[in-house]
């Protein structure tokens, strides 16, 4: 249920409603919106609950939350959530751009990429230290050494660091170095990991599983929100289809759909979404046209010799051109990059 408080409801009345919901065996979540304060009551609903809550002092109305994902639903929060982490803001008028290599490979590679991305207007640095690879024989990432290099690149450029955490037991370690915890596509339904990042004091970038439905993605986000972390960015990174001309199929209707259903900001990953460098600039611009709040792009100083995903990575020049293209589309829509 959503308890919508009256515009002039006092802090005491909101607090009273929180206690009332708790005493009814439900979990209260207070959301302070621009227009109104609402208290979401999450949990098993007994008969007559609506009437019971309606009797509260300062209550304007009580509405059911129709979506199965309660806290992620736009029903309880009409304004898009802005997720902030250092230099990165996603969900506001300016589109956040997270750029960098697929994997952290060396100090030289990372620093050069971070500087080039920053110069071209990126607002955060990406780079995998723990890499989920299809083959156990592929490069698995530099692990803590990679995290240290990411932190050093942040010190050198001021860019917030976005990096993947693959396992529950690594959450504290990764959070020590990273500004944003990335949950990768393969882990979207690793519920213990979702709960662990939900308890961490860092925003989360949650990537869509290649075979996950929108509802599954939103329910995965719900795990993180329910564990107490309100800062979740959703990421469309392409899905598995019968099509083989691209690595994955990048469905951009997702952006519009998610904006209708959730207040969480939406990021698009045209690098993994297409799997081919030549498709990335236009699909990045198309993502902006579809209303994406953020982009995550793979950039490498020497894609041909990259240890992972070189075939979908942009060179520095290509990244700059992609930023120009995105900027023009964003400006046409009254946004900026
Ligand atoms: C990545 O961002 O490098 C990555 C592994 O992405 P995904 O989880 O979407 O495959
Ligand atoms: Mn990659």
């Amino acid at each position: 249920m959503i308890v919508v408080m009256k515009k002039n409801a006092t802090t005491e009345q909101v607090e009273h409603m929180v206690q009332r919901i708790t005493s009814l065996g439900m979990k209260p979540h207070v959301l302070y919106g621009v227009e109104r304060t609402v208290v979401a009551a999450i949990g098993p609903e007994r008969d007559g609950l609506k009437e019971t809550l309606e009797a509260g002092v300062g209550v304007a109305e009580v509405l059911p939350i129709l979506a199965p994902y309660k806290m992620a639903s736009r029903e309880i929060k009409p304004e898009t959530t802005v997720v902030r982490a250092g230099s990165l803001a996603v969900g506001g008028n300016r589109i956040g751009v997270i750029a960098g290599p697929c994997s952290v490979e060396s100090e030289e590679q990372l620093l050069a990429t971070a500087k080039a991305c920053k110069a071209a207007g990126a607002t955060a640095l990406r780079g995998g230290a723990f890499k989920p690879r299809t083959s156990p024989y592929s490069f698995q990432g530099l692990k803590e050494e990679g995290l240290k290099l990411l932190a050093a690149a942040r010190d050198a450029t001021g860019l917030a660091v976005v990096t993947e955490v693959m396992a529950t037991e690594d959450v504290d370690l990764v959070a020590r170095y990273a500004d944003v915890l990335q949950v990768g596509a393969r882990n979207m339904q690793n519920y213990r990991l979702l709960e662990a990042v939900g308890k961490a004091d860092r925003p989360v970038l949650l990537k869509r599983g290649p075979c996950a439905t929108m509802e599954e993605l939103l329910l995965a986000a719900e795990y993180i929100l329910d564990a107490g972390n309100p800062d979740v960015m959703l990421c469309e990174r392409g899905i598995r289809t019968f099509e083989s001309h691209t690595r994955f199929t990048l469905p951009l209707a997702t952006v519009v759909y998610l904006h209708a259903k959730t207040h969480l900001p939406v990021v698009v990953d045209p690098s993994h979404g297409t799997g081919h460098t030549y498709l990335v600039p236009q699909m990045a611009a198309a993502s902006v046209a579809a209303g994406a709040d953020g982009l995550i792009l793979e950039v490498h100083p020497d894609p041909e010799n990259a240890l992972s995903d070189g075939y979908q990575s942009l060179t520095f020049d290509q990244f700059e051109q992609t930023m120009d293209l995105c900027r023009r589309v964003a400006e046409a829509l009254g946004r900026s990059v």
Side-chain angles (χ1 to χ4, degrees), residues 7 31-38 76-80 82:
K7 273 207 171 114
L31 292 128
Y32 298 97
V34 179
E35 286 290 311
R36 57 187 192 170
T37 296
V38 307
I76 66 162
K77 186 167 179 277
E79 319 88 56
T80 299
V82 183

Side-chain angles (χ1 to χ4, degrees), residues 135-146:
S135 164
Y137 308 120
S138 301
F139 176 59
Q140 301 288 312
L142 297 179
K143 311 215 164 75
E144 188 167 2
E145 190 46 41

Side-chain angles (χ1 to χ4, degrees), residues 102 272 298 309 312:
C102 177
H272 293 86
E298 288 186 336
D309 289 355
Q312 65 191 30

Side-chain angles (χ1 to χ4, degrees), residues 36-88:
R36 57 187 192 170
T37 296
V38 307
V39 188
I42 317 276
E45 294 183 4
R46 58 168 76 169
D47 286 349
L49 177 69
K50 186 174 182 322
E51 292 72 20
T52 304
L53 296 174
E54 267 167 359
V57 189
V59 172
E61 58 180 335
V62 177
L63 304 163
I65 309 173
L66 299 176
Y69 36 90
K70 307 293 176 192
M71 297 184 62
S73 173
R74 213 181 256 282
E75 292 169 86
I76 66 162
K77 186 167 179 277
E79 319 88 56
T80 299
T81 293
V82 183
V83 175
R84 295 174 204 281
S87 59
L88 179 69

